[in-house]
Amino acid sequence: MAAAESGSFSAAGRLLGKAQSGVSTAVANLEIDLGAQLFDRSRKYLTLTDEGEALLRDALGVIRGAQRLKDRALSFCAEEDTHIRIVLDEALHPEFIEQYLRPFEEMFPFTELDIQTGIFNDVEGYVAAGKADLGLLISSGIPKRLEAYKLLSYIPFQAAASRHHPLTQKEGVSVGDLEDERQIVVTSRGEDKDTEVTHFSQKRWLIDSYAACASLVERGLGWAFFPAPLLKSALAKRDILPISLELEIREHASPLYLIRNRNRKLGRAGQWLLRNLGEYQI
């Protein structure tokens, strides 16, 4: 590589602190071993042959790979986690990416992050079963299957419908108005079908995805409660508007918990996530 960069064996020798003859002999022996001529020696300055160009690219790749291997091994010595599994309520996914992933990547480039999503008690189930190390859980009450949790904030939910839905055309929508229209209810993906919202309408469809729910709502097939962070971010560009509710049914919020599996020992990267997620606010 030094010979290719400098254009002569003499200059390469000076860069490497070796005699010109030693560099020349080393290159000749390498060419014999590879069965290919690496340099065109017919001119004043050395130039790589086509074979030499191709093998130089391969050599640079090997060197970069070796450096990555060394850096990763050093990160292990510094007690950095090799792998962290985190599960997020689907409603928080966009905000989590925005607030935490970029600084995490810069500080812990060799830690593999496995990000899973769930809804309501799915999140607690993943952590309790050892399928995730940390979780951000939206729940109607205190986590039942874990001892390690911290209340962070409260997530407001807001009723919304398509721009052309009858409920968005009216001011001061009442309980009776909600009962007359189909409600799309987002539930967890487990068998229990957990949900955090009140069932106002007898005409209900259940669905286990906010994205799928938004598609139905946008097409005017019903109205639904959405977490406020989702309405502000992921759904902001969709044709969905908040419903103007009467005062007595306007407030609805669910607690947000940081939960963890205590059986999993966290290294520097995991402790960084635990510390920073512990300050999460909506």
Side-chain angles (χ1 to χ4, degrees), residues 96-169:
F96 174 81
I97 292 174
E98 183 70 25
Q99 291 187 39
Y100 298 106
L101 286 198
R102 189 171 299 281
F104 182 89
E105 191 277 335
E106 291 174 354
M107 295 182 66
F108 308 103
F110 299 106
T111 296
E112 184 176 278
L113 199 58
D114 180 358
I115 303 173
Q116 307 166 67
T117 58
I119 298 178
F120 304 131
N121 64 12
D122 294 333
V123 175
E124 184 179 359
Y126 279 128
V127 177
K131 296 178 181 178
D133 308 313
L134 300 171
L136 286 175
L137 165 70
I138 297 176
S139 176
S140 58
I142 294 173
K144 301 178 180 67
R145 289 175 280 178
L146 295 164
E147 296 180 358
Y149 58 84
K150 177 182 179 181
L151 176 62
L152 301 180
S153 183
Y154 285 87
I155 304 294
F157 280 70
Q158 194 164 14
S162 165
R163 181 184 302 275
H164 307 293
H165 193 281
L167 292 178
T168 56
Q169 309 300 312

Side-chain angles (χ1 to χ4, degrees), residues 204-242:
R204 291 191 298 269
W205 287 354
L206 306 183
I207 197 161
D208 63 1
S209 163
Y210 281 114
C213 177
S215 294
L216 297 178
V217 169
E218 190 173 32
R219 286 164 174 77
L221 293 173
W223 66 273
F225 280 105
F226 291 99
L230 204 61
L231 276 176
K232 293 177 183 177
S233 56
L235 303 183
K237 297 180 181 179
R238 306 191 72 150
D239 200 18
I240 297 174
L241 296 177

